[in-house]
Amino acid sequence: AQSVSQHNHHVILSEAASLELGCNYSYGGTVNLFWYVQYPGQHLQLLLKYFSGDPLVKGIKGFEAEFIKSKFSFNLRKPSVQWSDTAEYFCAVNGDNQGGKLIFGQGTELSVKP
Amino acid sequence: GAGVSQSPSNKVTEKGKDVELRCDPISGHTALYWYRQSLGQGLEFLIYFQGNSAPDKSGLPSDRFSAERTGGSVSTLTIQRTQQEDSAVYLCASSLRTGGSYEQYFGPGTRLTVT
């Protein structure tokens, strides 16, 4: 069965620090990969996605993620975080024969200190 | 344009009662998904609908859960004989079509508390 693992449950950073959130998945076929973000009191929204092509994808607000197929990983990065990045981040996977359903990781809560 | 809307935003119910949760997808979106977000379980897929095709019910946790989608638009998730472990935020999402290349847009959720 598909599964997604996010290694960090809660990350606390100071502004301007660099961020990397880990995400690993298990699935034997082709995957589509996503990072979603949920700001306090707001809906889940898409941060970035990978379907094919360049394994380094760029999303909104300066975020990027790299798909490393050999490691089954899709880590999220940002070189310099801001207080406004405080949110919960979810990695999600969609397998090639899974219709559109997303399998989510447990989420990582990011707190950025001003 | 309006996003995905859900009602009610909060629902408190007694154990054993039935509840209905409603989702209005984005107009023109043919795919509709239900997920559940709870402490300890994270975000779990429940069910999805694509056009007139049979829904994928593979994520429904028990036969107390059911969902329907009328006229290819509004969807209702019904939980019968609610249990305390059903307490969670129920999220609805819609996309233009199913398939990983189509972005899913999420609603604000319905927070269900079973007492």
Side-chain angles (χ1 to χ4, degrees):
Chain A
Q2 276 179 285
S3 66
V4 179
S5 175
Q6 292 182 240
H7 316 299
N8 314 101
H9 295 296
H10 192 188
V11 172
I12 302 172
L13 296 173
S14 297
E15 276 195 316
S18 65
L19 170 72
E20 181 159 3
L21 301 182
C23 172
N24 286 88
Y25 67 91
S26 65
Y27 184 72
T30 303
V31 292
N32 302 303
L33 298 158
F34 306 81
W35 276 97
Y36 278 83
V37 61
Q38 189 168 28
Y39 297 102
Q42 295 188 27
H43 308 181
L44 266 173
Q45 56 184 284
L46 184 67
L47 203 52
L48 50 76
K49 60 189 178 185
Y50 170 81
F51 297 139
S52 63
D54 189 344
L56 183 63
V57 293
K58 295 190 184 298
I60 59 172
K61 304 187 181 185
F63 285 90
E64 64 178 32
E66 184 175 13
F67 171 45
I68 303 179
K69 189 174 181 179
S70 60
K71 295 185 178 180
F72 298 89
S73 71
F74 190 56
N75 292 355
L76 180 71
R77 300 193 294 248
K78 185 171 184 178
S80 176
V81 295
Q82 301 173 311
W83 175 79
S84 59
D85 293 324
T86 295
E88 190 155 15
Y89 293 80
F90 294 91
C91 181
V93 168
N94 164 252
D96 58 353
N97 66 349
Q98 298 289 304
K101 68 183 179 188
L102 298 174
I103 306 300
F104 285 88
Q106 293 285 341
T108 298
E109 186 180 345
L110 172 65
S111 300
V112 180
K113 298 182 294 184
Chain B
V4 177
S5 61
Q6 293 185 246
S7 61
S9 54
N10 280 285
K11 175 73 176 178
V12 180
T13 190
E14 291 180 354
K15 178 181 170 181
K17 301 275 189 184
D18 297 353
V19 294
E20 284 189 351
L21 312 179
R22 177 187 167 107
C23 171
D24 281 90
I26 293 171
S27 178
H29 280 193
T30 63
L32 186 147
Y33 308 81
W34 284 98
Y35 295 88
R36 178 169 72 172
Q37 187 174 20
S38 56
L39 287 174
Q41 296 296 322
L43 266 158
E44 306 170 272
F45 164 78
L46 297 176
I47 185 171
Y48 83 80
F49 300 86
Q50 168 58 57
N52 296 321
S53 302
D56 179 340
K57 305 179 183 180
S58 60
L60 294 178
S62 78
D63 58 8
R64 295 186 296 105
F65 287 73
S66 63
E68 62 177 21
R69 189 176 184 193
T70 53
S73 180
V74 170
S75 177
T76 303
L77 178 69
T78 301
I79 309 173
Q80 295 178 310
R81 306 181 302 281
T82 52
Q83 303 294 312
Q84 287 186 328
E85 61 262 28
D86 299 335
S87 295
V89 177
Y90 289 82
L91 296 172
C92 178
S94 71
S95 64
L96 203 55
R97 286 182 174 75
T98 52
S101 58
Y102 294 98
E103 179 178 348
Q104 293 184 28
Y105 295 83
F106 283 81
T110 293
R111 182 176 296 278
L112 175 66
T113 304
V114 182
T115 61

